[in-house]
């Protein structure tokens, strides 16, 4: 089966069921980007982890208002994920997606997210993972040309971090009792976001985290999950 025909959520599980809570991650490749750290924590027995992600297929119905046309198989996949959540609600549902893919208006985004949140059982604690920064399309070439000064490839935080859709998610979080997980302070300072930190490459392209960096973020992710009250 080709990827474009995938409609069944993978439901990959980690942690051997030893964790006191079931955490589900749902979304596109940006949700999958945190897998190395999430899997490590699950294998430590901190929670049972389930991943339901599909590349280029955000979890909310972006075609709800008619402004955007959804790929039929992607739309079926989304509906199947939501049905799975309703049938076996996880303790925690972490949502993330790439905000720059086929941008829609803020009103359409809010309508799509509100529709999704209304379908999630109240038993489940929803967490919005803020999207990671976007770098220039030639960021990897820039890093190769600036091995001794990767800071030359940094981008302005105000230009690379989502400041449009995220405030809507924060607003909806208050309304629906959701939480927000923002890891961008580990990638950016007050002014710039960095594609490499020390000897670690942060991204593998303009907007996907590198696996090695995500793995190194395990302690930070644990700290942030504790800070927002998901883990003790």
């Amino acid at each position: 089966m080709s990827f474009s025909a995938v409609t069944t959520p993978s439901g990959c599980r980690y942690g051997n069921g030893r964790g006191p809570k079931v955490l589900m991650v749902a979304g596109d490749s940006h949700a999958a980007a945190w897998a190395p750290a999430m899997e490590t924590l699950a294998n430590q027995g901190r929670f049972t982890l389930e991943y339901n992600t599909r590349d280029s297929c955000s979890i909310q119905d972006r075609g709800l208002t008619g402004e955007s046309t959804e790929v039929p198989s992607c739309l079926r996949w989304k509906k199947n994920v939501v049905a799975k959540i309703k049938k076996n609600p996880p303790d925690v549902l972490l949502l993330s997606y790439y905000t720059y893919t086929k941008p829609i208006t803020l009103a359409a985004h809010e309508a799509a997210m509100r529709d999704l949140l209304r379908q999630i059982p109240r038993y489940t604690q929803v967490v919005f993972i803020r999207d990671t920064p976007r770098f220039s399309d030639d960021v990897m070439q820039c890093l190769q040309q600036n091995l001794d000064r990767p800071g030359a490839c940094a981008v302005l935080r105000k230009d690379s971090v989502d400041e449009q859709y995220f405030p809507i998610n924060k607003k909806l979080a208050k309304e629906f009792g959701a939480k927000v997980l923002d890891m961008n302070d580990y990638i950016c300072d007050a002014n710039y976001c960095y594609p490499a930190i020390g000897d670690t490459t942060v991204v593998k392209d303009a907007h996907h985290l590198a696996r090695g960096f995500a793995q190194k973020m395990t302690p930070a992710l644990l700290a942030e999950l504790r800070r927002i009250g998901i883990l003790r």
Side-chain angles (χ1 to χ4, degrees):
M1 179 184 292
S2 69
F3 172 76
S4 61
V6 172
T7 60
T8 302
S10 60
C12 296
R13 283 212 165 195
Y14 304 86
N16 300 316
R18 294 180 294 152
K21 292 183 176 181
V22 175
L23 273 66
M24 180 189 290
V25 178
D28 58 14
S29 59
H30 280 218
W34 293 105
M38 288 284 188
E39 291 169 18
T40 297
L41 294 176
N43 291 332
Q44 292 173 357
R46 299 184 185 277
F47 49 79
T48 297
L49 174 67
E50 180 173 330
Y51 254 91
N52 289 287
T53 60
R54 174 179 152 151
D55 288 355
S56 302
C57 190
S58 59
I59 187 59
Q60 76 276 33
D61 184 353
R62 293 167 63 87
L64 187 68
T65 63
E67 183 179 316
S68 176
T69 302
E70 293 275 25
V71 176
S73 63
C74 175
L75 187 56
R76 287 195 294 273
W77 176 85
K78 298 172 196 249
K79 291 179 177 178
N80 288 337
V81 173
V82 172
K84 187 173 188 178
I85 293 169
K86 289 179 177 178
K87 184 177 181 179
N88 293 298
D91 296 289
V92 180
L93 175 65
L94 297 105
L95 304 173
S96 185
Y97 50 91
Y98 182 39
T99 56
Y100 293 92
T101 298
K102 296 182 180 177
I104 57 178
T105 63
L106 300 184
H109 170 77
E110 180 170 347
M113 291 307 306
R114 189 179 296 278
D115 174 71
L116 173 63
L117 292 170
R118 284 173 175 160
Q119 298 183 67
I120 305 303
R122 292 190 176 185
Y123 169 83
T124 297
Q125 173 65 67
V126 174
V127 178
F128 290 114
I129 305 178
R130 188 171 194 173
D131 198 17
T132 46
R134 194 188 195 292
F135 295 89
S136 63
D137 290 337
D138 64 349
V139 64
M140 302 313 295
Q141 180 180 351
C142 180
L143 287 173
Q144 291 173 358
Q145 295 173 347
N146 293 276
L147 295 177
D148 297 328
R149 52 187 192 97
C153 305
V155 292
L156 287 171
R157 181 166 183 158
K158 67 181 181 66
D159 296 333
S160 60
V161 173
D162 171 33
E163 297 291 356
Q164 298 185 69
Y165 301 100
F166 185 65
I168 292 174
N169 289 357
K170 289 178 70 175
K171 169 187 153 183
L172 292 175
K174 289 183 179 180
E175 182 177 336
F176 286 86
K179 296 180 182 291
V180 172
L181 179 64
D182 186 350
M183 302 295 292
N184 285 344
D185 283 346
Y186 294 93
I187 302 172
C188 314
D189 59 25
N191 298 310
Y192 291 94
C193 296
Y194 299 91
I197 299 174
D199 61 354
T200 302
T201 302
V202 173
V203 290
K204 62 182 180 181
D205 57 30
H207 56 86
H208 287 99
L209 292 181
R211 183 174 181 83
F213 176 76
Q215 183 67 58
K216 284 191 174 184
M217 290 296 289
T218 301
L221 181 62
L222 174 59
E224 293 301 318
L225 288 171
R226 283 173 167 166
R227 186 184 63 78
I228 64 175
I230 297 302
L231 297 180
R232 295 181 179 178

